[in-house]
Amino acid sequence: MNDLPAPAADELAHSAELAVLIHREIAAAGGSIPFSQFMERCLYAPGLGYYSAGRRKFGAGGDFVTAPEISPLFGRCLAKSCAAVLESLGGGDILEFGAGSGQLAIDLLTELESMNCLPARYLVLERSADLKARQQQAIARQLPQLLDRVSWIDELPATGFRGVMLANEVLDAMSVERFQWDGESAELFHVRSEADGFAWQLQTGKVSEATTSIDAWVSDSDLCAGYVSEFNTSVQPWLRSVADSLAQGLVLLIDYGYPQHEYFHPQRSSGTLMCHYRHYAHADPLLWPGLQDITAHVDFTAVAEAAVAADLEVAGYTTQAWFLLDCGLEECLLQSGATDTTDYMKAAQQAKTLILPGEMGERFKCIGLTRGIDIPVPGFRLQDQRERL
Ligand SMILES: C[S@@+](CC[C@H](N)C(=O)[O-])C[C@H]1O[C@@H](n2cnc3c(N)ncnc32)[C@H](O)[C@@H]1O
């Protein structure tokens, strides 16, 4: 961790302010809080959490780069999938969860406009007030002619949504429980206060709703005592509300993760928690609350099971590489408008970052969940890997 760039004094002051708030919650809870609560505050405490406060997160000047920040080809490919679904429904809306800088919305809408297949409305559901303001500015600046189609909502439409719901790298930004398997049952990690920060505290011998559901998931595996991993308790209720809202259409979730047998693999014995600070990745989420991103990989089997339990169909599961290739990445690259060799080489390099196995191509997966759709969804036709879930 010594090689992490040191935060500036004002950043450390900001982090100290959030730390005070968390120390208070820990004291009020009698000495410790579940890691999920700590992570939630670090990312989303109003005005102070990583996603809620004002510093730039995405792209070269931020902490990490997401696919829409790498290349407009990502959004242009997703547009092909959205267009097919919207056409099959005879129209509809798009709803994007957690739109980050707004770049994906801009690329998608630009491509859908050129295909003459715009959604009636483009809704954005974003938890962070700061990001919402940035998204509004970016769309007003880059797509003024479409701004009146875009609106920001604070909660999902209760019912009746028809169209496509999208979430790129949103599930990995939901807070998770961290647990240790003792050979027979799971024990949750809590976070306690220390004189100079925070420390882990294992809740030995305590059974809770979370440990019971983790036990059910892990008990069939042959994990050794001491195995540490994470469990996203929000996926099920989140997908339930998504399914309640969706009358007809596609839910497309893209994120880094694995099917469950790979997620809880004996070799992944210290879990998948990862933090990002100015393009440095490390594994200590207790450091500098509010200054760094904290993520956990996605268990796509859990996503599929929660979807089926909520009466959605799992229409496809594949890697980001196969998804983008099936959506016509190569054609999009050829039509990318690059007018000289340098521009083309740059666009080709970006495409490679999206699909090469050692880059994002295999680490990132796409899952398509549908209701009432009878077309093969573009993205999942070339290489459907549902049997791996
Ligand atoms: C890692 S960023 C990804 C941003 C963007 N989708 C991209 O690909 O660049 C995670 C985003 O998800 C948002 N987020 C997290 N949980 C959410 C939820 N339950 N509903 C809506 N947005 C959420 C965060 O505020 C943030 O904008």
Side-chain angles (χ1 to χ4, degrees):
M1 221 86 72
N2 289 340
D3 50 2
L4 282 178
D10 62 331
E11 289 185 298
L12 288 173
H14 174 103
S15 178
E17 207 182 320
L18 176 56
V20 167
L21 187 144
I22 300 174
H23 284 305
R24 263 197 229 123
E25 283 194 20
I26 290 175
S32 73
I33 54 173
F35 175 67
S36 57
Q37 189 176 334
F38 178 84
M39 181 169 168
E40 174 71 23
R41 297 300 175 269
C42 287
L43 297 182
Y44 302 108
L48 291 171
Y50 178 75
Y51 283 110
S52 317
R55 208 164 63 82
R56 179 160 182 203
K57 289 131 193 107
F58 309 101
D63 299 301
F64 56 89
V65 181
T66 59
E69 305 290 330
I70 289 171
S71 169
L73 292 169
F74 181 75
R76 292 182 62 193
C77 287
L78 260 60
K80 308 292 182 200
S81 203
C82 294
V85 173
L86 292 178
E87 268 170 15
S88 81
L89 296 178
D93 296 330
I94 294 181
L95 187 159
E96 184 182 356
F97 294 94
S101 67
Q103 193 57 50
L104 179 58
I106 290 166
D107 297 333
L108 261 172
L109 284 166
T110 304
E111 184 68 11
L112 289 170
E113 186 177 36
S114 77
M115 294 169 76
N116 206 13
C117 193
L118 280 168
R121 297 177 303 163
Y122 193 101
L123 308 172
V124 179
L125 180 49
E126 170 59 66
R127 287 192 71 180
S128 156
D130 170 63
L131 289 177
K132 187 168 149 181
R134 286 171 190 252
Q135 293 155 13
Q136 285 166 339
Q137 283 164 14
I139 294 172
R141 197 172 52 245
Q142 294 186 53
L143 284 184
Q145 77 283 14
L146 296 183
L147 189 59
D148 60 355
R149 257 176 224 261
V150 188
S151 41
W152 281 261
I153 53 176
D154 294 324
E155 49 188 39
L156 272 171
T159 53
F161 180 88
R162 292 178 76 252
V164 181
M165 297 188 187
L166 293 169
N168 185 58
E169 287 207 45
V170 174
L171 290 176
D172 74 75
M174 290 182 180
S175 52
V176 292
E177 295 296 355
R178 186 170 191 244
F179 68 90
Q180 179 167 297
W181 182 245
D182 74 359
E184 286 178 4
S185 59
E187 292 170 333
L188 286 191
F189 279 99
H190 272 216
V191 176
R192 65 179 158 79
S193 297
E194 291 252 293
D196 57 352
F198 299 97
W200 294 107
Q201 179 170 304
L202 198 55
Q203 297 297 95
T204 47
K206 294 195 182 148
V207 177
S208 67
E209 207 179 309
T211 55
T212 314
S213 49
I214 297 168
D215 290 351
W217 287 57
V218 183
S219 53
D220 288 344
S221 61
D222 52 357
L223 299 180
C224 294
Y227 186 90
V228 171
S229 192
E230 298 84 35
F231 181 80
N232 185 336
T233 51
S234 311
V235 162
Q236 215 170 9
W238 184 75
L239 268 173
R240 167 66 61 190
S241 58
V242 164
D244 287 347
S245 177
L246 184 73
Q248 206 181 3
L250 166 71
V251 182
L252 186 57
L253 309 175
I254 305 172
D255 228 306
Y256 40 86
Y258 316 100
Q260 203 165 85
H261 65 278
E262 286 177 34
Y263 197 101
F264 296 126
H265 191 280
Q267 281 174 356
R268 216 179 303 288
S269 59
S270 44
T272 71
L273 276 184
M274 193 53 67
C275 307
H276 296 99
Y277 180 71
R278 296 201 193 145
H279 299 277
Y280 284 76
H282 69 92
D284 182 5
L286 306 187
L287 189 70
W288 303 330
L291 297 192
Q292 57 177 1
D293 187 27
I294 308 174
T295 74
H297 280 51
V298 174
D299 172 351
F300 278 99
T301 304
V303 171
E305 287 178 353
V308 170
D311 257 345
L312 294 173
E313 199 175 313
V314 181
Y317 169 72
T318 193
T319 63
Q320 177 169 296
W322 283 115
F323 184 90
L324 296 178
L325 288 167
D326 187 26
C327 287
L329 180 74
E330 286 153 304
E331 294 85 335
C332 288
L333 176 61
L334 288 172
Q335 295 157 6
S336 65
T339 47
D340 63 31
T341 323
T342 315
D343 283 354
Y344 182 80
M345 294 303 285
K346 196 171 150 208
Q349 191 52 46
Q350 292 167 343
K352 278 189 189 168
T353 307
L354 294 176
I355 60 169
L356 281 180
E359 303 273 358
M360 301 178 87
E362 285 189 358
R363 252 182 329 124
F364 282 74
K365 314 289 192 315
C366 307
I367 193 166
L369 313 170
T370 54
R371 171 168 287 151
I373 287 208
D374 52 11
I375 55 155
V377 178
F380 301 108
R381 299 165 305 188
L382 267 184
Q383 251 249 13
D384 189 355
Q385 304 182 352
R386 273 177 294 183
E387 78 289 348
R388 298 188 63 220
L389 288 169

